[in-house]
Amino acid sequence: MNSEQNKALVRRFLARINKDKWDHAVLDEFFAPNYRRYLTPTTPPLTAEEQRERAARLRTAFPDAVATLEDIIAEGDRVAYRLTIRGTHQGLFLGIPPSQKPV
């Protein structure tokens, strides 16, 4: 796949998570067997299973969350993107009880 096809794949993925709210089938469809999610430069990357668990916690805490693509850059087989995620804090999140406030 070229850079434009890879960017289109990311856009399809984001459209699906906005529609299906991080359903496991969506993650299984888009995650490669060797998937890694880098959250910070200093922490170990998440595996696909760890990302599934993270997504489930986010879906519980912010069930109405919507991701907006702000920037996307691709070169070869690599894609980087920046999102804004908005939702309402409706479930426990990192030990914080639901506030019912938009975030």
Side-chain angles (χ1 to χ4, degrees):
M1 291 176 43
N2 64 36
S3 295
E4 290 307 311
Q5 290 169 319
N6 285 329
K7 288 196 290 190
L9 180 67
V10 169
R11 287 185 179 100
R12 283 195 310 275
F13 170 69
L14 294 174
R16 287 285 308 280
I17 64 168
N18 281 335
K19 177 179 172 256
D20 298 328
K21 303 301 177 201
W22 288 100
D23 180 86
H24 280 276
V26 174
L27 302 181
D28 292 341
E29 177 183 340
F30 285 92
F31 286 8
N34 61 347
Y35 171 90
R36 296 291 181 269
R37 170 81 187 258
Y38 294 85
L39 296 173
T40 73
T42 58
T43 57
L46 301 178
T47 65
E49 184 55 36
E50 291 166 331
Q51 178 59 26
R52 281 185 195 88
E53 293 166 5
R54 180 176 179 268
R57 289 190 304 272
L58 288 169
R59 186 174 55 243
T60 299
F62 307 97
D64 63 344
V66 174
T68 302
L69 182 63
E70 303 291 351
D71 295 299
I72 187 166
I73 301 165
E75 185 170 325
D77 66 348
R78 301 201 179 234
V79 179
Y81 58 91
R82 183 174 64 91
L83 299 174
T84 299
I85 302 174
R86 292 178 176 86
T88 308
H89 184 195
Q90 299 177 45
L92 189 67
F93 181 67
L94 299 176
I96 302 167
S99 68
Q100 303 307 320
K101 293 182 180 180
V103 295

